[in-house]
Amino acid sequence: MELKSFRKEMKTVNENNNENMENENIANENVANENTANDNIANENVEDTLNADTQDALNEEQAEAVEMVPEVKTKKKKSNLRGRNFKQGVYSSVVCVAVLVIVILVNLVVGQLDIKVDLTSEDVYTLTDKTKELASGLSDDIEIYFLAKEGDEYKVLQNVINEYDKLPHIETSWKDPELYPQFASQYTDQEINGNDVIVVNKTTGASRFIPFNEMYISDYSINYTTQNYDYNYTLDAEGQITSAIQYVTSSTHEKMYVVSAHGETELGAKVTNLVNKANVEIATFDVMTQSAIPDDCNILFINGPKTDISDEELALYKAYLDNGGKAIFTVSYTDKDMKNYNELLAYYGVDVSSGVVLEKNGKFMNGYATYLVEGFDTLTEEISADFTMDDVTIVPIASIMKIQDASTLRGTLKVTSIISSSDGSYGKTNPESTVIEKEDSDPAGPFNLVVQATDTYKDKSSKVAIYATPYMLADDWIDYYSCKNIDMFIDTIDWMSEGTQESITIPQRSLDAVYLEVPQAQATIWLIITVVLVPLAILAAGFVVWYTRRKH
């Protein structure tokens, strides 16, 4: 019993203990749970606090970022509007716009005023003062017709013609031969080939036709270095048109008769053209078929006969001159007896001897002692007024001429030397001599090379010009450097024109391209400079810049 009671008590005690332990565990668990909950709450509070702080920091950063963004934009905007690059850009744009506006305005003004600048080296599109002076003195109305098919017109010639339209009393018109096939026939019977010109005096009806090949001239010569032909192109538009204007406005025209039948030297085509431009008509006087000098002869021209004139001719020419005639004589070297011809020249105070004049001391063309280079002795009002003492003439193969002593000349005769050889010149009289130096038999200079003479008798005044060689008037000397041969010949014709309208001589314009010829030595030097030295200099400069930047 007692054992059962004891066991029962012990069981009760154990149950109580277990119950206590369970209660304690429950209490511990509650405490733990409570602590855990508290910890969780604390942690949550801490986390909430941290999150709140972080959020506040983030919010502050975002706010700062938000505040920063407009500031950055504002700074960029401020930089774009006020920065140096912006100002330079605006300045460049304004300058470009201003230049563009100025160019447009200038073009509009120039187009309206028809302002053009002639940039050609020969002043191809610029009319000379002689043409302008002629136009300013006109009283008649002039029309210049340019005959050319549309599309085939030569623009250079057309532009020159348009310049005449700016002058007083002158108008220009363009006529297409296909649209007006009968237009030119009322002024000329010559064939129309295109780019021709007709100058008409609308007041008097006088006209002159100018074919294109007289205004646009092509020529060629042999280049002995390359063994090829060198072609030369010249424009004589102003010379021909101005001459035509002078022709149609002049009441009188000169006519020069050229004597033939004695082997005379013919005038070259270019010189003939220049004489025609001077409004002097050239005709032939054949003494074999004509017994009298024509009544309309203003100038008689005998150009270096190779055989002597007859006694009848001598008497004919003297009578013509005594009656107030005008004549130009040239002397050609010949081995023939020229008794009558020399007598005709002596009648005007000039003695001619057989032989050729030579110069020394450099007064001749290189290598040609008989091609004399001479200046002017006298600048007379009649022939050489427009020249200077520095101008020169080329006198090839000149005959020996000397003016007679003044005491032997008749009182009515006045003789003037225009061009003479130097004191060191001499004459070669022996054609078979092989010695170029002066020999004892050779006459000493100076010699007269161009002479003018006037003789007034019984109210009749004759005029004579004597040239020592016909080769002074060759085509070769036209525009030959500063050579004045042909200019002097035209002035001689003007002197004999009885004081009528003075001829206008306008030089031709070259259309040839001018090339720069560099000698081989200079070409080699420039090759070394451009191919070797310049690149090396650029490399050296680049190395110095690179080294300087690397060092710093």
Side-chain angles (χ1 to χ4, degrees):
M1 286 290 291
E2 293 177 359
L3 180 61
K4 289 182 180 180
S5 298
F6 177 75
R7 290 181 177 177
K8 190 177 179 179
E9 291 178 0
M10 291 297 294
K11 183 178 179 180
T12 302
V13 170
N14 290 333
E15 289 178 355
N16 293 330
N17 290 335
N18 289 336
E19 185 177 357
N20 292 331
M21 291 180 64
E22 289 179 359
N23 293 331
E24 184 177 353
N25 289 335
I26 291 171
N28 291 333
E29 288 178 0
N30 292 332
V31 171
N33 290 335
E34 185 177 356
N35 291 334
T36 300
N38 292 331
D39 291 338
N40 291 334
I41 293 170
N43 290 334
E44 288 178 357
N45 292 332
V46 171
E47 185 176 358
D48 291 340
T49 302
L50 291 175
N51 288 337
D53 294 339
T54 302
Q55 187 64 36
D56 292 339
L58 290 175
N59 290 338
E60 291 178 0
E61 290 180 359
Q62 290 178 354
E64 291 179 359
V66 170
E67 292 177 357
M68 290 291 290
V69 169
E71 288 183 7
V72 172
K73 290 183 178 179
T74 303
K75 289 180 180 180
K76 288 183 179 180
K77 186 174 181 181
K78 181 178 180 181
S79 176
N80 287 338
L81 294 176
R82 298 182 182 179
R84 180 180 180 184
N85 293 335
F86 175 77
K87 292 180 179 179
Q88 290 180 347
V90 171
Y91 177 77
S92 299
S93 300
V94 170
V95 170
C96 291
V97 172
V99 170
L100 182 61
V101 171
I102 292 173
V103 169
I104 293 174
L105 292 176
V106 169
N107 281 322
L108 291 174
V109 172
V110 170
Q112 291 294 324
L113 299 179
D114 194 25
I115 299 175
K116 296 179 182 178
V117 179
D118 188 354
L119 300 178
T120 59
S121 60
E122 293 280 332
D123 293 331
V124 173
Y125 305 107
T126 302
L127 299 181
T128 61
D129 292 337
K130 292 182 178 180
T131 295
K132 296 175 181 178
E133 289 173 4
L134 175 65
S136 63
L138 291 175
S139 58
D140 298 342
D141 293 328
I142 305 299
E143 185 85 25
I144 301 175
Y145 294 103
F146 179 47
L147 311 179
K149 178 183 176 182
E150 186 174 1
D152 293 339
E153 66 276 6
Y154 182 44
K155 291 294 185 182
V156 176
L157 175 59
Q158 185 179 20
N159 289 335
V160 173
I161 293 173
N162 290 339
E163 292 298 309
Y164 280 88
D165 202 39
K166 304 174 184 178
L167 302 179
H169 296 285
I170 297 178
E171 295 181 356
T172 62
S173 300
W174 183 7
K175 293 291 184 181
D176 189 332
E178 291 189 352
L179 299 178
Y180 304 92
Q182 302 301 320
F183 175 78
S185 61
Q186 59 185 313
Y187 300 110
T188 180
D189 56 359
Q190 297 189 44
E191 182 180 359
I192 305 301
N193 295 314
N195 290 293
D196 305 314
V197 171
I198 298 177
V199 178
V200 179
N201 186 330
K202 297 174 68 176
T203 304
T204 64
S207 64
R208 190 168 192 176
F209 173 73
I210 310 172
F212 176 64
N213 58 10
E214 291 186 5
M215 295 179 286
Y216 180 80
I217 304 167
S218 60
D219 194 8
Y220 67 89
S221 59
I222 299 177
N223 188 326
Y224 293 100
T225 302
T226 62
Q227 295 299 316
N228 294 322
Y229 289 104
D230 289 340
Y231 290 89
N232 305 309
Y233 302 95
T234 56
L235 187 71
D236 194 22
E238 183 187 358
Q240 293 290 346
I241 295 173
T242 298
S243 174
I245 294 173
Q246 187 180 44
Y247 178 84
V248 300
T249 55
S250 177
S251 58
T252 59
H253 302 99
E254 299 296 312
K255 195 168 187 178
M256 183 171 71
Y257 278 88
V258 180
V259 176
S260 64
H262 303 289
E264 287 85 358
T265 303
E266 293 186 3
L267 283 178
K270 293 181 180 179
V271 174
T272 300
N273 183 43
L274 288 175
V275 173
N276 290 332
K277 278 175 58 179
N279 293 317
V280 176
E281 182 182 352
I282 297 178
T284 301
F285 176 58
D286 188 352
V287 296
M288 304 301 292
T289 60
Q290 296 172 275
S291 58
I293 297 175
D295 293 336
D296 61 348
C297 176
N298 302 112
I299 303 171
L300 185 70
F301 183 35
I302 305 179
N303 194 25
K306 300 295 192 301
T307 59
D308 199 12
I309 62 176
S310 65
D311 294 339
E312 292 77 14
E313 286 180 85
L314 175 60
L316 178 66
Y317 299 147
K318 279 187 174 181
Y320 166 75
L321 292 170
D322 286 342
N323 196 38
K326 285 84 179 172
I328 301 174
F329 303 123
T330 69
V331 181
S332 181
Y333 172 76
T334 177
D335 57 356
K336 305 294 183 181
D337 183 15
M338 303 294 289
K339 175 179 175 296
N340 287 335
Y341 191 63
N342 291 343
E343 182 180 337
L344 177 62
L345 302 182
Y347 186 68
Y348 280 88
V350 176
D351 291 330
V352 178
S353 303
S354 178
V356 177
V357 179
L358 281 77
E359 277 282 11
K360 60 182 182 180
N361 300 328
K363 295 200 68 175
F364 55 87
M365 293 183 68
N366 187 26
Y368 300 93
T370 58
Y371 278 60
L372 317 181
V373 180
E374 307 291 354
F376 289 89
D377 290 341
T378 307
L379 300 179
T380 65
E381 294 181 1
E382 297 89 355
I383 292 181
S384 51
D386 294 333
F387 305 137
T388 68
M389 300 303 289
D390 295 327
D391 291 325
V392 298
T393 58
I394 308 297
V395 189
I397 316 177
S399 297
I400 299 173
M401 294 193 334
K402 278 200 172 185
I403 296 176
Q404 298 170 4
D405 188 88
S407 61
T408 64
L409 298 176
R410 58 185 179 274
T412 59
L413 181 64
K414 179 183 178 182
V415 184
T416 304
S417 176
I418 304 299
I419 298 175
S420 297
S421 63
S422 69
D423 294 340
S425 63
Y426 55 95
K428 275 292 176 182
T429 57
N430 183 6
E432 297 181 358
S433 176
T434 58
V435 180
I436 194 171
E437 288 79 13
K438 185 180 183 303
E439 300 176 276
D440 293 338
S441 60
D442 294 333
F447 303 102
N448 305 113
L449 303 176
V450 177
V451 173
Q452 80 174 76
T454 57
D455 189 15
T456 303
Y457 180 70
K458 293 183 179 180
D459 298 328
K460 301 287 185 180
S461 180
S462 59
K463 297 179 180 179
V464 171
I466 304 173
Y467 289 70
T469 171
Y471 308 114
M472 284 188 70
L473 311 180
D475 285 349
D476 298 337
W477 313 124
I478 297 177
D479 296 329
Y480 183 83
Y481 297 99
S482 59
C483 177
K484 299 299 182 181
N485 291 28
I486 308 304
D487 300 272
M488 184 174 59
F489 182 56
I490 299 299
D491 282 356
T492 302
I493 293 175
D494 284 341
W495 171 54
M496 297 183 176
S497 299
E498 293 292 346
T500 57
Q501 195 170 28
E502 181 181 355
S503 300
I504 297 178
T505 304
I506 296 174
Q508 301 173 354
R509 268 76 161 203
S510 175
L511 300 176
D512 296 333
V514 180
Y515 298 97
L516 177 63
E517 296 183 1
V518 181
Q520 184 61 40
Q522 293 187 13
T524 303
I525 293 174
W526 282 109
L527 178 66
I528 295 173
I529 292 175
T530 57
V531 177
V532 179
L533 298 182
V534 172
L536 287 177
I538 294 174
L539 289 174
F543 176 79
V544 170
V545 172
W546 169 81
Y547 182 79
T548 303
R549 291 179 177 178
R550 182 175 180 274
K551 186 176 180 180
H552 291 289

